[in-house]
């Protein structure tokens, strides 16, 4: 059974800092990995999707990497802003019979002005 | 981009009543829809997977008689919480898989349920 872990659970940084969020998964048989943002009381906003054959994806100040063999992904946020404050969720789409998304528990990010 | 809507966005009900939540794919056909539950400060947990025209598949530990799922069309799935109790209070999120892009799921905005 796929398990997804995110470290740290919470992170507080001053505005302008670059930061890295970590995600690890136990089963490397995946189709893709996705990073989401969730604001309090809201739904999910998809940030980046990395296919299993890809090593990284970039969107603006965000860069996500994937090392499938080691079961790890990182989300790099450059020049953080207070508006980046949210919970960031990593989700893995497993191949095999399950074929479903498994979510990590998230990293709650606070960017201080 | 593909849009998934949920209705209502927020509902408060008395213990013992039933609540229906709708999930619609607005601009694509969804052969598969998923229902998740999220407790405060926790991640999303898959409750069930529903395929259009067939019975839903429930995850272990989810009572199918309590959480009734109907997926009668390619654009609509409903989740009915029957005889709701305070412990059912949670954030319920649906997602839909595009028939033509099975690796991608699009998420609804969620429904906040509070059972008094």
């Amino acid at each position: 059974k796929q398990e997804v872990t995110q470290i740290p659970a919470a992170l507080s940084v001053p505005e302008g800092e670059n930061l890295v969020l970590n995600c690890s998964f136990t089963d490397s048989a995946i189709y893709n990995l996705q990073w989401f943002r969730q604001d309090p009381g809201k739904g999910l906003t998809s940030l980046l999707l990395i296919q299993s054959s890809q090593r990284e994806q970039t969107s603006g100040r965000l860069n996500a990497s994937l090392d499938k063999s080691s079961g790890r992904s990182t989300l790099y946020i450059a020049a953080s802003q207070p508006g980046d404050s949210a919970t960031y969720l990593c989700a893995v789409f497993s191949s095999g019979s399950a074929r479903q998304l498994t979510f990590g528990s998230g990293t709650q990010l606070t960017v201080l002005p | 981009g593909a849009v998934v809507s949920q209705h209502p966005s927020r509902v408060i009900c008395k213990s013992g009543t039933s609540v229906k939540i709708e999930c619609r794919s607005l601009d694509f056909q969804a052969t598969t829809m998923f229902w998740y539950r999220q407790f405060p400060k926790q991640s999303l947990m898959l409750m069930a997977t529903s395929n259009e025209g067939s019975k839903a598949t429930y995850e272990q530990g989810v009572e199918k008689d309590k959480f009734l799922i109907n997926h009668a069309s390619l654009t609509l799935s409903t989740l009915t919480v029957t005889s709701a109790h305070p412990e059912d209070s949670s954030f319920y999120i649906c997602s839909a898989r595009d028939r033509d892009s099975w690796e991608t799921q699009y998420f609804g905005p969620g429904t906040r349920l509070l059972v008094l």
Side-chain angles (χ1 to χ4, degrees):
Chain A
K1 180 183 176 184
Q2 180 74 267
E3 292 183 4
V4 181
T5 304
Q6 290 187 246
I7 294 173
L11 180 63
S12 183
V13 300
E15 181 177 4
E17 268 201 15
N18 303 324
L19 58 100
V20 175
L21 307 181
N22 297 291
C23 172
S24 61
F25 47 96
T26 54
D27 186 351
S28 62
I30 66 170
Y31 284 116
N32 59 50
L33 181 145
Q34 204 163 357
W35 284 92
F36 294 90
R37 169 186 172 136
Q38 186 177 32
D39 292 290
K42 302 294 184 181
L44 304 180
T45 299
S46 178
L47 298 174
L48 290 165
L49 184 149
I50 311 176
Q51 300 292 351
S52 62
S53 58
Q54 298 175 323
R55 299 282 291 182
E56 65 177 342
Q57 282 285 339
T58 299
S59 176
R61 293 182 294 108
L62 305 179
N63 176 277
S65 68
L66 173 64
D67 184 343
K68 196 174 74 165
S69 61
S70 67
R72 295 182 181 181
S73 175
T74 61
L75 178 66
Y76 175 82
I77 302 177
S80 58
Q81 303 171 357
D84 295 331
S85 298
T87 295
Y88 291 81
L89 294 165
C90 164
V92 172
F93 185 26
S94 300
S95 57
S97 59
R99 282 202 178 184
Q100 64 186 41
L101 273 178
T102 303
F103 283 84
S105 53
T107 294
Q108 186 174 353
L109 173 66
T110 302
V111 180
L112 303 170
Chain B
V3 177
V4 175
S5 70
Q6 279 186 243
H7 178 79
S9 59
R10 185 184 299 253
V11 57
I12 301 173
C13 68
K14 293 183 179 180
S15 185
T17 60
S18 294
V19 175
K20 180 185 284 187
I21 303 171
E22 292 186 349
C23 176
R24 293 181 185 272
S25 57
L26 298 185
D27 49 4
F28 66 98
Q29 293 186 325
T31 51
T32 305
M33 288 186 170
F34 305 87
W35 288 95
Y36 296 84
R37 180 167 56 184
Q38 185 180 34
F39 291 109
K41 297 192 182 298
Q42 294 187 25
S43 191
L44 278 73
M45 298 300 297
L46 180 65
M47 299 174 65
T49 302
S50 74
N51 292 298
E52 185 264 338
S54 63
K55 291 184 178 180
T57 302
Y58 290 81
E59 295 299 302
Q60 192 172 8
V62 178
E63 300 176 57
K64 62 179 182 180
D65 294 330
K66 180 168 185 62
F67 298 98
L68 301 179
I69 292 173
N70 183 279
H71 191 168
S73 77
L74 286 173
T75 60
L76 173 64
S77 176
T78 60
L79 168 67
T80 301
V81 183
T82 62
S83 187
H85 289 96
E87 58 266 30
D88 298 324
S89 299
S90 187
F91 193 53
Y92 292 86
I93 300 178
C94 75
S95 71
R97 181 177 289 169
D98 189 333
R99 179 172 63 178
D100 298 324
S101 180
W102 59 270
E103 292 180 353
T104 304
Q105 287 179 224
Y106 302 98
F107 286 81
T111 296
R112 174 74 59 191
L113 170 63
L114 176 61
V115 184
L116 303 177

